[in-house]
Amino acid sequence: MFKDIMKFIEVNLPVLIKILGFPGLTFILIFLIFAVWYQRKYLARLMTRMGPVHAGKVLGWLQLIADALKLLTKEIIIPRESMRKIFVLSAGTLSVIPATAITLIPFAKDFAIFPIRGYTLPLFLAIMTLYPIFVVLMGWAANNKFTIIGAFRSIYLDVAGEIPLILSTIGVMIWAGTYDIQDIIEAQKSIWFVFPQLLGFIVFLVSFMAMIEKVPFDIPEAEAELVFGYKTEFSGALFLDSMLGDYVNLLAWSLLMITLYFGGYLGPSITGDPIIDGSIWTLIKLVIVVTMTFTIMISYARLRIDQAIRVGWNYLIPLAILNIILTIFVKYVILGGG
Amino acid sequence: MTKKNFVSRIVTPFFVVLKHVVNQPVTHKYPFERLKGFSRTRGLITLDMDACIGCGACGWICPDHAIEMKIVESSKVTHPAIDFLKCSFCGMCVEICPRNALDMHPIVEIAGTEYKNLVYYPEKLRQAPNLKELLPMLKYELEPVITPSKMSYIRKKVG
Amino acid sequence: MKPEELEKILKEKFGENIFSTKIPENKRLFIKINGDIVEDFATFLKENGFDMPITMGATDFLKQKRIEIFYAIWSSTHDFVVFFKYDVPRDNPVIKSLVKIWSGVQKFERETWELMGVDIEGHPNLKPLLLPEDWDYEKEGYPLRKDFNVNRYMSPWGDEKQ
Amino acid sequence: MRDMMSYRYHPFNEIVELEGGLFQLNMGPQHPISGQGRFIVITDGEIVYSIEMDIGYSHRGIEKILEYRNLMQGIVPIERMVMLDTSNIAMGYVLAVEKLYGVDVPPRAQYIRTIIMELNRIISHLYALGLYSESAGWNPAIFLWTTADREPILDILEMITGARWSYSFFIPGGVRADLPRGVKERILTTLDYLENRIRVYEDSWIYNETFRMRTEGMGVLPRSKAIEWGAAGPNLRVSGVPYDTRKNEPYAAYDELDFKIVTHTAGDSYYRGWARVEEIKVSIDIIRQAIENIPEGRIRVALPPKPVQEEALARVETGRGELNVYMYTEGRDKPYRVKISPPSFRNFYVIEQLPKIQTIRLADVPPLIYSFDPWFLDADR
């Protein structure tokens, strides 16, 4: 039995390295630790304070591992009248969905976990739309007044956030003329899509904030009155899972933003080997996008749920449709069809 | 309603916040750095046993009844003992003392694990503990936030 | 209108029911009135533009066996304060609530009822406000009264036991 | 007399199902936004039908304590009413005593008092801005900026009075000490630094689209209701009543300084926040004028042995609103009765009445409450 496993490993070693290695599991875990630490240090810097300092001599990087261990060792409290199985399972699966979506993103030329070509962008979006369903499942399973309100609000927000997002990606697809993520990146060699697709980018940015539920749209977990929304009942490892889900969701959407608007892995070569170059450029752009997200997160007030939905339906969707019409007009009438 | 137009009300907050990245953090790492008090800072009270004539004026004026007169063997008169759990550091006892026997120092590190060692009898009030002894990890004392050097910087920047 | 003019008008209207009036400074008018005419005295003030209640309370005079209820009303049009007070017997103080005239005094009356033990008729929601719910009035008594035993709450000095 | 014991509150932080689909939400003392008190909200999930402010958690009976403290000692307990602007609160007590004893305080002491009170008002407004932005859902950036910007002022006050917040610097008859050397230049520099920071707050907070969307037109307090319910301070002025105790009944050195009252007619939560930023600017003006023409002379005068008046009502404009101190004395050194009517006590009543005249959503409850700058210690006394 042991021999077949060894043979199986040798046969598809490169894919295994990709899955467990760089764009796969370890990258996501490292990104989680980096993102949480970076958020605390960067936000602290904006608020003219220090952020974690003492844990781990250099800039308190050990703080995160300490927090993770603390959360893991905490006792998991499962409320008596909640649906036990769904309650435990839903928290765990929350981070699986964005992780599967990340496998489609190429970090360098032909360097994605699933290097399939064809309809990868619609597939990515299809996977990502599952995320809110699990969030609602979590809120409903906890069977607590606060979490149910939080879950309902999460549904309203996701509906209002997702439609303009998908419409703005349609604008990019038309402009690039393909469905495939890799081709979209290749088409951005001449110019990044942020400039021709500026209107689409604005719509994408606002609904991006709504999808990852950061301020000004973090209504589902509004501490002010609902004491953390649908995550209220989770403690210990389950809370860690839901936090993991949040940050992987952030990772997935920001990777999509990079590939669609900031030219994925394109950039002047540093080391010559295309795979390493592409990855470095993707990571640099990722850090920039994450920094921008945290800055937006800190400089606006949280909107009420009805205002957020009004922004979504009255402003974002018409703008997205206008963007599509403009793209079609500019592409096929002025430039005579690419 | 507002003097700025719609777009700038969305965009300016972002850049105003971003400009804060260059600011220096203002946190003091307390046990290692400490804010230096001013000459008038009202902290630990000390008693000059020779000057004190035991008149009890400080006990009478204290708003929180934190001062009681206690008998001390080595001297003929009674001397004030201060219960620092009740004292609110208003400094009225220092002000009213006819012989200026009481004095206040900018030391606020008065802490104790038990009720007893926060009640300072006259012998303990005699001399103020120096800072090194109270805060072994102290590296240096910080000037208040608007230091003279910073004042010149602000005046230049604000113009 | 100036405090002096209002004083004249009130004197004519209520005559002997006003026991004493005083104008210590330019924006104050202190009046001591008879307890029975409070209702129409208040409505009269309200019609003359005194619309914002700023204080309401009670003072306990143990020796003279009376409790003095005082109201302070500011006028947004004439911009000065009328401070009227009247006496109530100390052993069984009952007053009429002025909430219908100035709704702002509701919380003040509630507090006076709770701390001073003055029973108020016609008050919409007489509930404990500041004191804990299980405050035992028979054993402890009313805090703001002069015969309230404060020593029970004095903590001993230093390390002496009570 | 009547059975008060029968009244039973519901235990804390418990959601009580009422009939008709309503439920009672306790934003109890342990709630992240409620401060030292509790507000009980009856809502059906979205629309709030009644807010009740449950105070009394930090009731120390200051009025009773003051009856056992002589006039000099009384300063220290009364400052504990609001830790944020203690000098304004102490000024209320001191003004009442000075009216009783008919003392005319030397002008230099009046000017020093005005400077310290205005510095204290800036600190109080900055803290109120921080809390208000936190309740409107901000990440605590503004809260921490305001806390960092209060430090230079706290240093000045520590330099003058010796303490960071419980100054007990005003006493009946004047102030306890004169201005130290070098404090004038430090104050002027700090004010320049603050003016620079106020522009940052305006750009990032007042003229911020999400804040305007969140608070404009919410919790509108009409002029008639503001007067009838007895609102206090900026909440009154923003509803169209131009009443500022510093202007209408000048005390300390306010009659010799010219400054404008910040008023507006909209009366909604947005303008209550805006009014506080404007008032910081006004305070900066006042301090500059006071620093420029501060007269020389004595800083303290002894009280005459016998009071001139039997009772006095002092009105002072604190950061939260107008504080009224009524004092009755029988000539002895301890006041016979002190009745304090704090601003938050009246503002809480206004908050409780607002849902009756306007529909308020559950998510708007914290910004609405914190736009009134509530302070539970102030209301509890």
Side-chain angles (χ1 to χ4, degrees):
Chain A
M1 223 290 276
F2 184 72
K3 247 188 332 13
D4 336 349
I5 297 168
M6 287 309 296
K7 199 147 58 54
F8 170 79
I9 289 170
E10 278 140 29
V11 161
N12 34 37
L13 191 63
V15 178
L16 267 178
I17 291 173
K18 268 196 262 180
I19 289 174
L20 298 176
F22 170 62
L25 192 60
T26 44
F27 166 70
I28 289 172
L29 287 177
I30 291 168
F31 173 80
L32 168 71
I33 293 175
F34 163 75
V36 176
W37 170 78
Y38 183 67
Q39 173 178 354
R40 291 177 64 161
K41 286 301 275 187
Y42 179 68
L43 292 191
R45 190 54 187 265
L46 285 186
M47 303 179 200
T48 67
R49 61 182 169 83
M50 288 273 190
V53 165
H54 295 299
K57 289 291 158 286
V58 176
L59 291 176
W61 60 275
L62 211 55
Q63 180 76 23
L64 270 301
I65 296 162
D67 288 350
L69 283 177
K70 179 197 76 174
L71 276 177
L72 283 173
T73 52
K74 275 255 179 65
E75 180 225 356
I76 299 173
I77 303 157
I78 298 175
R80 196 164 18 83
E81 72 280 358
S82 74
M83 314 165 196
R84 295 183 57 80
K85 290 193 197 51
I86 303 174
F87 183 79
V88 172
L89 276 179
S90 62
T93 55
L94 203 59
S95 50
V96 163
I97 299 156
T100 50
I102 290 171
T103 55
L104 300 168
I105 305 279
F107 280 70
K109 191 150 183 39
D110 298 338
F111 182 73
I113 299 179
F114 286 128
I116 50 174
R117 305 296 293 278
Y119 295 84
T120 46
L121 186 52
L123 178 61
F124 180 92
L125 293 173
I127 297 172
M128 284 312 284
T129 49
L130 291 176
Y131 183 79
I133 295 165
F134 275 88
V135 162
V136 166
L137 205 61
M138 272 167 69
W140 190 265
N143 197 0
N144 149 345
K145 182 71 72 180
F146 281 137
T147 52
I148 289 175
I149 295 179
F152 284 152
R153 286 188 178 180
S154 173
I155 304 171
Y156 303 146
L157 190 63
D158 286 332
V159 168
E162 238 164 282
I163 297 169
L165 192 116
I166 293 167
L167 290 177
S168 59
T169 52
I170 294 174
V172 170
M173 282 188 224
I174 297 166
W175 186 258
T178 93
Y179 288 105
D180 181 63
I181 292 178
Q182 180 124 2
D183 297 348
I184 290 174
I185 294 174
E186 296 305 330
Q188 289 179 29
K189 275 211 169 33
S190 57
I191 180 171
W192 283 357
F193 278 173
V194 145
F195 306 108
Q197 283 283 323
L198 192 58
L199 185 56
F201 174 68
I202 291 167
V203 170
F204 186 93
L205 186 63
V206 177
S207 45
F208 165 78
M209 293 305 285
M211 283 317 293
I212 54 173
E213 283 167 11
K214 287 271 189 287
V215 178
F217 294 101
D218 75 343
I219 296 131
E221 59 181 52
E223 310 87 28
E225 67 278 359
L226 284 188
V227 191
F228 226 48
Y230 57 85
K231 294 197 194 58
T232 317
E233 288 303 333
F234 288 89
S235 55
L238 296 185
F239 182 71
L240 192 65
D241 287 350
S242 63
M243 232 172 75
L244 184 71
D246 259 0
Y247 280 97
V248 181
N249 193 15
L250 166 69
L251 175 64
W253 286 118
S254 30
L255 279 176
L256 182 70
M257 180 194 279
I258 292 168
T259 51
L260 292 185
Y261 291 101
F262 295 120
Y265 48 78
L266 297 176
S269 77
I270 303 162
T271 60
D273 175 357
I275 291 184
I276 297 173
D277 279 359
S279 314
I280 290 170
W281 274 110
T282 319
L283 292 182
I284 290 170
K285 291 174 189 166
L286 181 65
V287 169
I288 291 167
V289 164
V290 164
T291 312
M292 190 178 66
T293 321
F294 291 151
T295 317
I296 292 174
M297 192 171 119
I298 204 167
S299 50
Y300 294 104
R302 174 184 306 123
L303 292 181
R304 264 201 326 258
I305 186 70
D306 54 321
Q307 284 166 334
I309 297 163
R310 196 174 308 126
V311 163
W313 287 96
N314 295 6
Y315 299 109
L316 290 185
I317 292 180
L319 269 178
I321 294 167
L322 179 69
N323 172 43
I324 294 172
I325 297 164
L326 276 179
T327 335
I328 296 170
F329 178 75
V330 166
K331 179 148 182 152
Y332 291 106
V333 170
I334 297 175
L335 300 184
Chain B
M1 184 271 298
T2 57
K3 61 180 194 283
K4 300 225 173 80
N5 55 43
F6 177 79
V7 172
S8 85
R9 279 207 306 272
I10 290 179
V11 172
T12 41
F14 180 82
F15 293 109
V16 162
V17 170
L18 207 56
K19 274 210 289 284
H20 277 82
V21 175
V22 294
N23 290 10
Q24 284 300 328
V26 290
T27 343
H28 306 314
K29 297 201 263 282
Y30 174 62
F32 309 103
E33 310 160 350
R34 179 184 182 282
L35 196 60
K36 192 147 78 70
F38 293 88
S39 61
R40 284 187 184 171
T41 307
R42 302 199 293 250
L44 188 70
I45 301 168
T46 54
L47 168 71
D48 173 1
M49 295 270 271
D50 324 328
C52 172
I53 54 171
C55 65
C58 47
W60 174 78
I61 193 69
C62 178
D64 311 313
H65 310 302
I67 298 181
E68 295 260 338
M69 304 306 286
K70 291 293 175 205
I71 301 157
V72 176
E73 298 75 18
S74 62
S75 84
K76 299 184 294 306
V77 289
T78 60
H79 291 287
I82 298 179
D83 170 3
F84 275 108
L85 269 177
K86 286 192 165 165
C87 170
S88 59
F89 299 104
C90 59
M92 287 187 184
C93 50
V94 173
E95 200 179 313
I96 201 166
C97 179
R99 299 291 297 271
N100 295 338
L102 288 168
D103 189 11
M104 265 189 156
H105 305 267
I107 298 170
V108 286
E109 281 80 6
I110 304 162
T113 50
E114 271 165 67
Y115 198 82
K116 288 203 304 309
N117 47 29
L118 274 174
V119 178
Y120 279 41
Y121 276 83
E123 294 78 17
K124 202 169 174 194
L125 277 175
R126 188 187 288 278
Q127 84 296 344
N130 65 30
L131 221 46
K132 271 281 168 268
E133 181 194 308
L134 281 173
L135 280 180
M137 298 89 75
L138 183 68
K139 290 198 182 67
Y140 45 87
E141 291 201 76
L142 280 171
E143 280 297 316
V145 174
I146 302 280
T147 53
S149 59
K150 186 161 186 191
M151 276 208 248
S152 54
Y153 161 72
I154 291 171
R155 214 169 298 111
K156 183 156 42 58
K157 193 154 81 87
V158 168
Chain C
M1 191 202 296
K2 283 274 163 288
E4 295 78 11
E5 294 150 22
L6 182 68
E7 189 187 10
K8 234 184 326 40
I9 296 168
L10 288 173
K11 277 239 166 69
E12 289 141 19
K13 182 141 179 24
F14 293 97
E16 79 295 341
N17 275 332
I18 294 185
F19 297 143
S20 75
T21 63
K22 210 167 37 184
I23 302 182
E25 45 178 321
N26 61 358
K27 296 224 170 168
R28 294 287 185 282
L29 173 60
F30 288 82
I31 300 178
K32 181 87 183 259
I33 60 175
N34 177 348
D36 326 333
I37 60 159
V38 169
E39 293 266 329
D40 42 24
F41 184 86
T43 41
F44 181 76
L45 278 184
K46 181 78 191 264
E47 281 130 21
N48 283 351
F50 283 85
D51 34 25
M52 188 150 114
I54 43 176
T55 326
M56 179 267 169
T59 323
D60 172 23
F61 291 93
L62 191 59
K63 292 187 204 46
Q64 295 120 13
K65 284 268 167 298
R66 63 184 173 90
I67 286 184
E68 193 178 70
I69 313 283
F70 53 81
Y71 283 81
I73 312 296
W74 173 73
S75 148
S76 55
T77 47
H78 317 313
D79 187 13
F80 71 91
V81 173
V82 167
F83 188 96
F84 63 94
K85 28 187 213 172
Y86 59 95
D87 284 348
V88 168
R90 189 170 184 288
D91 41 17
N92 176 2
V94 174
I95 61 171
K96 288 184 279 305
S97 161
L98 298 183
V99 168
K100 290 187 200 38
I101 303 162
W102 297 295
S103 74
V105 291
Q106 186 192 350
K107 269 177 112 69
F108 288 113
E109 286 179 349
R110 218 171 126 190
E111 185 208 337
T112 313
W113 162 69
E114 183 183 31
L115 295 181
M116 193 60 98
V118 172
D119 198 354
I120 299 179
E121 288 152 4
H123 192 283
N125 72 37
L126 277 183
K127 281 191 292 185
L129 185 68
L130 294 172
L131 293 178
E133 289 109 42
D134 50 10
W135 178 264
D136 168 9
Y137 281 89
E138 282 65 31
K139 189 158 66 66
E140 309 272 341
Y142 296 106
L144 279 182
R145 291 212 175 173
K146 284 296 175 186
D147 52 13
F148 179 72
N149 176 3
V150 181
N151 301 334
R152 192 180 309 118
Y153 297 95
M154 301 273 287
S155 65
W157 181 88
D159 43 20
E160 289 151 11
K161 283 295 153 281
Q162 176 72 32
Chain D
M1 196 173 298
R2 68 217 151 283
D3 184 1
M4 286 190 196
M5 303 276 295
S6 66
Y7 187 80
R8 271 274 148 259
Y9 260 99
H10 291 288
F12 299 132
N13 255 0
E14 197 222 311
I15 298 153
V16 177
E17 294 288 331
L18 308 176
E19 78 296 339
L22 299 179
F23 54 89
Q24 174 185 318
L25 207 56
N26 283 328
M27 298 197 185
Q30 301 88 13
H31 194 274
I33 205 67
S34 79
Q36 300 89 348
R38 164 165 72 141
F39 31 94
I40 301 163
V41 177
I42 295 180
T43 169
D44 65 354
E46 222 19 66
I47 303 295
V48 166
Y49 293 100
S50 105
I51 301 175
E52 192 201 340
M53 312 292 281
D54 175 15
I55 58 175
Y57 287 92
S58 49
H59 175 60
R60 292 145 293 181
I62 287 179
E63 289 171 3
K64 193 69 183 176
I65 290 173
L66 287 177
E67 283 167 18
Y68 293 84
R69 296 282 189 279
N70 69 35
L71 295 176
M72 180 71 167
Q73 291 171 326
I75 310 283
V76 175
I78 202 169
E79 275 179 344
R80 263 66 184 165
M81 241 175 57
V82 180
M83 292 90 68
L84 265 176
D85 60 29
T86 44
S87 61
N88 290 317
I89 302 284
M91 187 59 199
Y93 180 85
V94 161
L95 193 59
V97 170
E98 277 160 11
K99 282 185 175 174
L100 283 180
Y101 282 81
V103 173
D104 58 348
V105 183
R108 183 170 178 83
Q110 297 287 32
Y111 269 80
I112 294 176
R113 280 182 178 175
T114 315
I115 293 167
I116 291 178
M117 279 197 291
E118 286 311 314
L119 282 171
N120 219 314
R121 196 185 310 283
I122 294 176
I123 292 179
S124 163
H125 279 326
L126 279 176
Y127 195 79
L129 288 184
L131 275 185
Y132 189 15
S133 67
E134 179 106 13
S135 73
W138 236 281
N139 231 296
I142 309 255
F143 185 72
L144 285 158
W145 289 348
T146 52
T147 316
D149 287 343
R150 290 171 69 219
E151 284 305 313
I153 305 171
L154 290 177
D155 289 338
I156 295 173
L157 287 167
E158 186 174 352
M159 188 175 181
I160 301 171
T161 65
R164 285 177 73 87
W165 60 270
S166 73
Y167 312 120
S168 38
F169 195 63
F170 301 162
I171 47 167
V175 274
R176 277 173 62 177
D178 205 338
L179 293 178
R181 280 192 324 283
V183 81
K184 179 173 181 195
E185 201 220 20
R186 182 189 285 270
I187 288 181
L188 290 176
T189 320
T190 312
L191 290 184
D192 296 345
Y193 168 71
L194 255 179
E195 223 153 29
N196 196 359
R197 289 299 298 174
I198 290 297
R199 271 194 293 281
V200 163
Y201 290 132
E202 271 185 349
D203 291 349
S204 71
W205 192 60
I206 298 288
Y207 301 118
N208 182 329
E209 188 49 29
T210 48
F211 183 68
R212 190 193 63 72
M213 276 166 78
R214 187 69 195 281
T215 52
E216 195 175 36
M218 186 264 288
V220 177
L221 184 60
R223 185 183 191 286
S224 60
K225 285 283 186 261
I227 291 174
E228 189 200 335
W229 292 335
N235 321 321
L236 189 67
R237 291 191 281 276
V238 155
S239 300
V241 181
Y243 172 80
D244 185 338
T245 325
R246 298 175 291 180
K247 209 59 155 172
N248 290 42
E249 285 177 23
Y251 52 95
Y254 286 114
D255 39 14
E256 287 142 24
L257 307 167
D258 67 337
F259 56 94
K260 66 177 176 63
I261 308 179
V262 174
T263 61
H264 204 279
T265 54
D268 56 7
S269 294
Y270 178 82
Y271 277 97
R272 284 191 276 273
W274 167 81
R276 291 204 168 80
V277 176
E278 295 298 316
E279 273 184 13
I280 292 180
K281 289 188 203 163
V282 168
S283 297
I284 291 176
D285 285 345
I286 295 175
I287 298 173
R288 284 215 176 97
Q289 287 170 40
I291 281 276
E292 283 325 314
N293 36 43
I294 184 165
E296 294 306 322
R298 303 179 46 174
I299 55 163
R300 205 166 154 175
V301 159
L303 282 184
K306 275 279 161 264
V308 173
Q309 296 285 344
E310 195 189 38
E311 56 187 347
L313 176 69
R315 304 182 72 187
V316 163
E317 184 69 28
T318 73
R320 254 138 222 79
E322 175 221 354
L323 169 78
N324 308 303
V325 178
Y326 165 71
M327 193 176 281
Y328 184 88
T329 176
E330 280 177 346
R332 280 201 296 276
D333 64 345
K334 294 186 171 61
Y336 187 77
R337 166 74 165 118
V338 180
K339 168 67 190 172
I340 306 163
S341 147
S344 296
F345 194 76
R346 293 157 51 192
N347 285 336
F348 280 172
Y349 181 69
V350 174
I351 293 173
E352 276 177 7
Q353 301 304 318
L354 262 179
K356 295 190 172 67
I357 63 166
Q358 210 200 26
T359 61
I360 293 167
R361 287 193 171 74
L362 183 59
D364 279 343
V365 166
L368 170 75
I369 286 177
Y370 274 87
S371 70
F372 279 91
D373 190 357
W375 200 252
F376 284 91
L377 290 161
D378 190 21
D380 291 349
R381 280 184 308 274

